[in-house]
Amino acid sequence: MSAPARPAPRRGLYDDPFWDHVDRRDLRLQKCTDDGTFRYPPGPACPTCLSLDWSWEPVSGHGSVLSWVVFHRQYFPEFPPPHVVVAGELAEGPILIADLAGELPPEMSAGTPLRIRYDAATDPDGRERTIFRWEIGPA
Amino acid sequence: MADLRRLSALCGEVAVVGVGETDYGTDYVRTRRGEKPYDSYGYAALALNRALADAGLTKDDLDGLIVGGPIAYERMAEIAGIEPGWSGSGDAPTSVTQAVMAITAGFAETVAIVYGNDQRTAGTAYGGPQAMGGEAILSYVYFAPWGMTSQGALYAMMTRRYMEVHGLEPHELGQVAVAQRAFAALNPNAVMRSPIDIDDYLGARYIAEPLRLYDYCLINDGGVAMILTTRDRARRGPNPLVTVAGLGRADENIGATTLRPRLVTFYHEGHAKVREQVYGTAGIGPGEVDVLGVYDSFSCHVPYALEGMGFCEIGDAGKFLVEKGVGPGGAIPTNTSGGHLSESYMQGWNHQPELVRQARGTAGERQVPDVRHTQFVSDVAGNVISVVYRSER
């Protein structure tokens, strides 16, 4: 049985290394070599100092809830409602937006601890990939 | 940093002398029956005809053209048979601003700003696998692998955050949809005219929770046009004089893909800059605004704008909506045509003629008494923009 289907991510010069790391279950973000700022989504320059130099650095995978949305209307065949998507702020600063693995807990609120998990997924073209998602994490 | 002295030199010098709109209500019925009266350019051309007639002008009086929506100014100029000295494109308040700039800079004397959109019959998708706009606004498409698209979902995310931080209650937010429907009931050109109450609002289904059906704008076809010219030329026209008295703009694009300016500050940093510009140039404060227009693709824009422009304190918008009110007879009548929620979704364009009519005193049954200043505010996808119109009757 193949892994659950998901829409494919946008790919490009800066996205490819990002997803290559995710496929190895090793979430990394670009970190500016000059001022140390993490950025997401991937891009060519540091929004703090405009430096074009960066390295792909691992992040903790821990964060906390900023907000969430529950889809009651179905926009994608792959995500039947109710579908919960969470905006979580990583400990390193960037906001990651991803669906929530598991049920929406009744006590969900801003600040609820989160952690990144990895799941297998299938692209529309049949290619197997790894996707990262949020799950309610230990504080 | 905006220079209020130079910006003020533009304000009060240009007037709106003509407004035109298409038949939103009847066209909605026709398109639901499967008819397609016009395409985007056709709606734009019809609205332009009506705006010119309202102004007592012909297309040969035009030497400027600015367009909005999915139309190109080059083709619009060809269709309308005009050779402008200045042309461009932009959203509604940007088009007003550009027209003012072109006229005060001397590139043009009389500018048409024109919008047409056949988004309903064309099946334009604002969410899902075919969502539009992703090149300019990555958040519309970037999170598809996690099932997160649709502009409603972005605003749902923002509204949930606001509820967590400031405690907005569903029945408070629901006042926006109820109030705008009450205005639409007084507008013969509105698409949705049957009154709703707060129980109808709360009983409607969620689309992207916490936003419900009535928090969402309509999707319909139509067009809007306005004619702007110098104050001196406007004095010779048939309509009460309404000038562009205040302008302001501040963008918030840093961190926009992951929604940082929405989720962390509710665009209030941009609002604060714009408030200083628009009220500084107009020489007024929010207490002197008689009618407000807020870009309302979703109801939640209204509380954010009320706070951002200083109609109430930050965090108090829910209470303001219930206790002061934005509907007929309310403290600040807002989106008096019904707005995007109930009149027509012309992406900020239909608000402009309504604010001009209210300033002229010609808004029919929904006319607010003794209007001197009307104001438009939008905070769409990181562009906070505002325009103040002044009645100089």
Side-chain angles (χ1 to χ4, degrees):
Chain A
M1 198 177 118
S2 62
R6 285 191 176 241
R10 284 172 64 97
R11 300 303 292 252
L13 192 57
Y14 313 105
D15 302 296
D16 287 343
F18 175 78
W19 286 105
D20 290 345
H21 284 111
V22 171
D23 277 340
R24 294 194 288 271
R25 302 188 170 228
D26 174 26
L27 180 65
R28 289 174 182 245
L29 299 182
Q30 286 166 295
K31 186 178 186 184
C32 175
T33 308
D34 289 311
D35 74 4
T37 304
F38 279 101
R39 65 176 178 268
Y40 177 77
C46 173
T48 307
C49 73
L50 203 52
S51 168
L52 293 161
D53 297 321
W54 70 84
S55 55
W56 289 96
E57 297 296 332
V59 292
S60 64
H62 290 274
S64 61
V65 171
L66 274 176
S67 189
W68 68 97
V69 56
V70 183
F71 286 85
H72 292 261
R73 182 185 151 176
Q74 185 159 1
Y75 285 93
F76 293 91
E78 298 92 335
F79 301 113
H83 176 67
V84 182
V85 177
V86 176
E89 193 167 30
L90 267 182
E92 289 79 5
I95 297 169
L96 299 184
I97 293 176
D99 56 319
L100 183 72
E103 297 282 300
L104 178 70
E107 69 279 13
M108 180 84 154
S109 62
T112 295
L114 295 168
R115 68 181 169 202
I116 290 293
R117 60 176 272 161
Y118 300 96
D119 286 294
T122 307
D123 273 359
D125 65 4
R127 178 183 176 280
E128 291 265 329
R129 70 160 55 255
T130 303
I131 190 85
F132 67 88
R133 303 163 78 193
W134 284 120
E135 66 182 1
I136 303 299
Chain B
M1 189 97 177
D3 181 323
L4 277 187
R5 188 182 55 81
R6 279 182 286 145
L7 192 54
S8 294
L10 273 60
C11 294
E13 296 302 313
V14 171
V16 181
V17 292
V19 299
E21 292 174 274
T22 58
D23 307 309
Y24 305 132
T26 52
D27 286 340
Y28 185 75
V29 173
R30 291 179 70 184
T31 55
R32 297 270 284 182
R33 282 202 304 253
E35 298 174 36
K36 178 153 183 151
Y38 303 100
D39 68 358
S40 295
Y41 289 98
Y43 284 112
L46 178 58
L48 176 59
N49 264 297
R50 291 176 176 179
L52 285 166
D54 180 51
L57 299 172
T58 73
K59 73 179 182 67
D60 298 327
D61 292 304
L62 299 175
D63 53 9
L65 174 69
I66 299 169
V67 307
I71 63 178
Y73 68 78
E74 296 91 340
R75 178 64 181 144
M76 191 67 224
E78 182 180 11
I79 287 169
I82 52 183
E83 299 290 19
W86 185 264
S87 44
S89 55
D91 66 17
T94 303
S95 296
V96 172
T97 305
Q98 278 194 58
V100 170
M101 290 163 68
I103 293 166
T104 53
F107 280 106
E109 183 183 26
T110 304
V111 177
I113 67 171
V114 183
Y115 171 93
N117 199 335
D118 62 0
Q119 56 195 339
R120 183 171 191 96
T121 52
T124 306
Y126 294 100
Q130 259 65 53
M132 54 74 73
E135 289 307 315
I137 307 168
L138 200 51
S139 58
Y140 288 176
V141 296
Y142 189 80
F143 303 108
W146 299 275
M148 175 75 180
T149 63
S150 100
Q151 292 161 46
L154 305 187
Y155 281 98
M157 193 71 95
M158 187 175 176
T159 301
R160 173 61 69 194
R161 175 69 184 172
Y162 185 96
M163 288 171 163
E164 289 291 302
V165 173
H166 293 303
L168 181 71
E169 297 294 329
H171 78 275
E172 295 174 329
L173 180 60
Q175 300 300 320
V176 175
V178 171
Q180 291 189 201
R181 184 61 65 86
F183 276 124
L186 303 173
N187 175 6
N189 202 32
V191 169
M192 294 291 172
R193 302 191 61 204
S194 306
I196 56 170
D197 62 21
I198 194 67
D199 293 328
D200 297 323
Y201 169 84
L202 293 169
R205 65 184 182 276
Y206 283 118
I207 309 294
E209 187 183 347
L211 298 185
R212 294 170 163 86
L213 177 67
Y214 292 118
D215 292 311
Y216 276 65
C217 66
L218 309 167
I219 299 287
N220 64 297
D221 293 0
V224 180
M226 295 210 303
I227 313 297
L228 294 92
T229 191
T230 61
R231 182 191 180 94
D232 288 342
R233 186 159 185 187
R235 285 197 180 285
R236 303 195 293 272
N239 293 313
L241 185 62
V242 175
T243 57
V244 178
L247 294 168
R249 172 171 175 171
D251 293 2
E252 289 205 51
N253 288 309
I254 297 173
T257 298
T258 56
L259 312 180
R260 185 173 288 280
R262 304 186 201 229
L263 300 181
V264 176
T265 58
F266 310 106
Y267 289 138
H268 284 340
E269 291 181 3
H271 285 142
K273 294 177 195 165
V274 166
R275 185 172 67 214
E276 187 180 328
Q277 293 169 38
V278 75
Y279 293 140
T281 50
I284 62 167
E288 289 150 284
V289 174
D290 302 301
V291 177
L292 184 63
V294 178
Y295 188 104
D296 57 326
S297 47
F298 304 95
S299 61
C300 56
H301 286 283
V302 171
Y304 307 144
L306 289 172
E307 293 182 356
M309 290 299 118
F311 289 90
C312 64
E313 296 296 316
I314 287 175
D316 284 349
K319 204 169 68 174
F320 183 95
L321 287 168
V322 171
E323 293 176 7
K324 306 282 185 180
V326 292
I332 179 68
T334 301
N335 294 341
T336 53
S337 68
H340 293 337
L341 302 182
S342 287
E343 185 197 31
S344 178
Y345 178 48
M346 297 286 106
Q347 301 184 307
W349 284 78
N350 51 314
H351 297 69
Q352 313 306 319
E354 175 67 7
L355 292 169
V356 171
R357 280 188 296 260
Q358 289 282 355
R360 285 179 180 174
T362 59
E365 274 192 83
R366 62 188 187 279
Q367 177 67 46
V368 174
D370 305 320
V371 174
R372 174 126 165 91
H373 293 101
T374 64
Q375 181 186 5
F376 178 76
V377 184
S378 61
D379 57 17
V380 182
N383 304 133
V384 181
I385 314 183
S386 186
V387 176
V388 165
Y389 299 100
R390 175 181 292 148
S391 163
E392 312 219 5
R393 281 180 284 165

